[in-house]
Amino acid sequence: MQQLINTLLIGVSIGSIYALMALALVLVWRSTRVVNFAQAGQAILSTYIAWEVVNRSGSFLMAFILAVAIGGLIGGLVESGLMRVLLKHANEGPVAAVAPVIATLGLLAVIRAVVGLIWTNEGKRFESPVSTAGFVIGDATLPFSRLNLLIIVTAAVVMIIFSIIFQKTNLGLALRAAAYNPEIARLSGVRVATTRTIGWIFAGAAGAVAGILVSPNDSLTPNSLDTLLVFGFVAAVIGGLESLIGAVVGGLVLGVGLSFVLIYLGTSLIFPTTFVVLVLILLLKPAGLFGAKGARSA
Amino acid sequence: MHSPKFLKNPNRRRLLFFIFLGWLLLLIGDRVDELRVYQGALIAIYTLAIGSVILLTGYSGQLSIGHGAFMAVGAYAAALTQIYFSPPIIITFLAAVIITAIFGALLGGGAARLSGPYLAGTTLALALGLPTLANQFEFLGGETGLSFDVGFPPERYGFDFTLYKWFFWIAALATLIMFWVMQNILKSRYGRAWKAGRSNQAAAELLGIHVGRRKVLAFTVSAGVAGLAGALLGMISIVSPSAFPLSLSFAIITGAVLAGLTSLAGSILGGLTLVIIPEIAEAISKNVSESEAVSANVPGLITGVLLILTVLFAPNGPAEQWHHHKEKKKLKAKSKGS
């Protein structure tokens, strides 16, 4: 029973990080119809910035806020500097359909290389801001630590902020309208191009949060977020790639599922399970659990 | 035999061209030093892998960014065949092709239903995860990997015939044969059906082309070819998870994009670029600073920038762009003349 609860809690903690990455991918997909593989790169750059600030100032909170803000800025720059030009340019020829995806891959390579040039490829240790020792209840030590709690709380706060923006503000309405039908949104006075940039800014910030939360207590290298990108993608696909709520649910489902696999079956099955889940979802329910109708209302 | 009549048949002309190319390559391979011969083998292997991506992405319209996974399957298949059965080397390579093709067919069955971003993400997940499987199973050799030993060159080639030259011969020959096969497939009705499905799926289906089935076939062929490239790569290095990192998949797709996704003949250009880039990086790091960070990251920087620039300015590849440019010029000249 105790192990069951532990597994569940750890799963929610990993899952909320997946959910944030999935959110980032979904936000970009909704606004631009591109799966942004450079999201891992943008997130790693933000995470390194956070690491640098923590090392210099010692304040995790300041590092977090600064890095997330810069993450958003990077997202905005990528959209206005690269994607906008690209979508304007490349709309003819058989390669047009794959061009944006390839461009994001190129960007991923560039960002990684830049990060490696600045901070070298050696693994950096990102000190956790809070204790990573498990909580002690009675005489039992749980694997669930303060860091896990911090992750869950931070992710929850970010998601609540997002849902308030999307559900309660005019900006959120504009973002939803532009995602639902850009032409009609434009006709009714929504600046679609601006909402697209804002979508990328939010995505950059969400990706940065995911990167910073996943890195403590682990070795930070220019490629250390690759797996997070894949898990985020799988989570987004489970949720339907269109739906923000779907992304969160997808992330949590994947996190808890993998946590069970990890504890009851062993590490070796993490990847095969993820891949099988991805393929099954794509074959059986390509629109995801929250696809089509659900997506439009979120 | 070399009557003009014989040469009129395009298939025969192509065959002769490939034989001539092979002869030329062998001559070159005899006259350069060891390092260049090794790089020659590498170029051949990359060219083959890029060809497999172009076949899939350029002709059949399915974007795979995880061809490193197929290469890994081919390499492991070859190494295991060699270790357990040690058949003649040609059979080993054939086994690698067939096993990877079967793997590709299974995957393609699912992938044919996927479009753009879903397929790209799925292949990405595959490329990232599949090589790590080797760590979980004893017989796959874990992190140290397996060695795929094709043996020494036959003695009748003489003593100064080095191992690397032997590798180069095998890689170049395999690549030439495969390109000849791929050319023929693309000129056949299958190739035309792929192009039709890529341009307009609905129209192709109206013509009675089963686009889904054709896509699976493209996946199968492409996987088989990539498997061979992987087996060759395993031959000149080692068959381990770290030999097939995600960056290999990225390098291959980069090469394919640089070569121009729409022409198989451009593959060699991509292969050359992939081998030249680390050389340039090395030269830069020697002249600028000796730090490891520079030599490790400059290749990534160059490939990334090249990818973005290509997509921005020459989405169909530099060769195609050049062609397009010339045609435009011609058209202009014509309109002026009239």
Side-chain angles (χ1 to χ4, degrees):
Chain A
M1 186 61 208
Q2 192 191 353
Q3 196 178 14
L4 190 74
I5 294 171
N6 276 334
T7 314
L8 208 63
L9 283 173
I10 298 281
V12 171
S13 157
I14 318 170
S16 51
I17 298 177
Y18 298 163
L20 284 170
M21 196 50 158
L23 263 182
L25 292 173
V26 168
L27 280 166
V28 167
W29 173 257
R30 278 163 55 116
S31 72
T32 324
R33 300 283 135 188
V34 173
V35 171
N36 183 16
F37 290 114
Q39 202 77 60
Q42 292 168 230
I44 200 78
L45 182 54
S46 317
T47 310
Y48 267 95
I49 290 171
W51 178 81
E52 190 73 45
V53 177
V54 167
N55 269 12
R56 294 197 177 199
S57 70
S59 159
F60 183 82
L61 186 68
M62 192 170 96
F64 182 85
I65 293 170
L66 201 68
V68 171
I70 292 176
L73 189 70
I74 297 168
L77 283 178
V78 170
E79 197 281 329
S80 53
L82 177 64
M83 290 327 269
R84 192 171 295 186
V85 185
L86 182 71
L87 293 176
K88 217 178 263 176
H89 258 270
N91 44 14
E92 51 177 311
V95 192
V98 296
V101 178
I102 291 171
T104 65
L105 282 178
L107 190 63
L108 177 60
V110 170
I111 297 179
R112 264 187 188 166
V114 169
V115 166
L117 282 173
I118 299 176
W119 286 283
T120 75
N121 291 12
E122 269 167 55
K124 304 268 188 254
R125 207 183 145 69
F126 199 125
E127 288 301 329
S128 170
V130 291
S131 161
T132 52
F135 284 106
V136 178
I137 295 177
D139 51 356
T141 313
L142 308 180
F144 188 76
S145 68
R146 279 175 208 281
L147 178 63
N148 293 118
L149 188 65
L150 179 77
I151 289 171
I152 295 176
V153 172
T154 315
V157 169
V158 171
M159 286 166 199
I160 289 168
I161 293 174
F162 269 174
S163 68
I164 291 174
I165 291 175
F166 270 87
Q167 299 299 340
K168 305 280 178 205
T169 64
N170 284 337
L171 175 65
L173 187 64
L175 282 166
R176 274 152 52 208
Y180 181 69
N181 192 331
E183 306 233 317
I184 294 177
R186 186 176 290 125
L187 283 177
S188 36
V190 174
R191 287 176 190 275
V192 175
T194 314
T195 61
R196 193 179 291 159
T197 314
I198 292 171
W200 279 73
I201 291 175
F202 282 165
V209 176
I212 296 169
L213 289 183
V214 84
S215 292
N217 223 12
D218 205 2
S219 173
L220 183 64
T221 69
N223 334 332
S224 59
L225 294 186
D226 287 355
T227 40
L228 178 62
L229 177 72
V230 169
F231 287 132
F233 176 76
V234 176
V237 169
I238 293 175
L241 206 56
E242 286 265 358
S243 155
L244 296 174
I245 297 169
V248 174
V249 174
L252 292 177
V253 166
L254 186 67
V256 171
L258 288 184
S259 175
F260 272 97
V261 171
L262 180 71
I263 288 179
Y264 289 97
L265 300 171
T267 356
S268 56
L269 288 172
I270 290 273
F271 159 70
T273 315
T274 313
F275 194 73
V276 167
V277 167
L278 177 63
V279 170
L280 280 183
I281 285 278
L282 285 172
L283 292 184
L284 302 179
K285 212 161 168 18
L289 299 179
F290 291 79
K293 265 192 300 183
R296 301 308 192 197
S297 63
Chain B
M1 183 175 136
H2 284 261
S3 65
K5 200 174 170 192
F6 174 81
L7 283 176
K8 254 183 198 149
N9 183 332
N11 288 327
R12 285 180 198 160
R13 225 166 34 210
R14 220 176 296 136
L15 185 59
L16 271 184
F17 172 73
F18 273 102
I19 291 173
F20 172 72
L21 205 64
W23 177 71
L24 206 64
L25 277 177
L26 293 186
L27 277 188
I28 295 171
D30 249 353
R31 277 163 185 68
V32 293
D33 62 69
E34 277 290 270
L35 175 67
R36 297 289 171 243
V37 171
Y38 172 77
Q39 286 177 331
L42 211 52
I43 291 174
I45 294 166
Y46 282 149
T47 305
L48 187 58
I50 289 169
S52 75
V53 171
I54 289 180
L55 184 95
L56 185 67
T57 305
Y59 286 88
S60 139
Q62 306 177 82
L63 177 62
S64 157
I65 54 180
H67 256 52
F70 292 129
M71 294 177 73
V73 171
Y76 275 98
L80 290 174
T81 312
Q82 192 65 20
I83 288 168
Y84 288 108
F85 306 104
S86 46
I89 195 69
I90 246 187
I91 306 287
T92 309
F93 282 117
L94 267 181
V97 172
I98 292 167
I99 292 171
T100 321
I102 292 172
F103 181 74
L106 290 177
L107 204 74
R113 301 202 206 167
L114 305 183
S115 60
Y118 292 103
L119 184 59
T122 311
T123 50
L124 174 76
L126 190 67
L128 198 63
L130 193 70
T132 65
L133 272 184
N135 290 333
Q136 321 300 343
F137 298 101
E138 196 85 20
F139 72 102
L140 293 178
E143 198 55 57
T144 44
L146 306 166
S147 91
F148 171 35
D149 189 6
V150 295
F152 291 103
E155 266 174 27
R156 66 186 127 99
Y157 292 141
F159 285 111
D160 57 341
F161 196 93
T162 62
L163 193 59
Y164 279 133
K165 203 182 275 177
W166 178 231
F167 288 165
F168 173 70
W169 275 40
I170 296 177
L173 194 65
T175 304
L176 279 173
I177 293 173
M178 266 302 171
F179 265 78
W180 181 71
V181 170
M182 283 197 284
Q183 277 290 3
N184 282 322
I185 294 178
L186 287 176
K187 296 285 177 214
S188 73
R189 61 199 184 96
Y190 297 105
R192 287 195 299 274
W194 286 335
K195 272 199 219 174
R198 180 197 71 192
S199 311
N200 190 332
Q201 185 155 352
E205 266 166 6
L206 272 178
L207 285 173
I209 296 170
H210 196 300
V211 173
R213 219 175 284 161
R214 292 283 174 266
K215 277 184 169 176
V216 178
L217 185 68
F219 230 93
T220 312
V221 174
S222 173
V225 175
L228 180 60
L232 291 167
L233 192 64
M235 171 183 76
I236 67 167
S237 58
I238 194 154
V239 184
S240 73
S242 56
F244 302 93
L246 192 57
S247 53
L248 176 68
S249 300
F250 283 4
I252 300 302
I253 186 82
T254 305
V257 173
L258 293 180
L261 280 171
T262 46
S263 98
L264 204 55
S267 307
I268 180 90
L269 206 70
L272 264 172
T273 319
L274 289 188
V275 173
I276 290 172
I277 287 174
E279 290 272 299
I280 297 175
E282 198 144 302
I284 291 176
S285 63
K286 253 187 200 148
N287 289 323
V288 181
S289 73
E290 287 282 332
S291 86
E292 204 175 304
V294 175
S295 57
N297 287 304
V298 169
L301 190 63
I302 298 176
T303 40
V305 169
L306 278 178
L307 257 187
I308 295 174
L309 289 180
T310 311
V311 173
L312 276 180
F313 298 109
N316 296 322
E320 190 99 340
Q321 198 74 11
W322 170 243
H323 194 70
H324 193 68
H325 188 73
K326 265 199 331 205
E327 296 252 299
K328 251 189 187 170
K329 252 190 178 168
K330 241 192 233 164
L331 224 74
K332 246 187 200 166
K334 248 187 204 167
S335 63
K336 255 184 203 165
S338 64

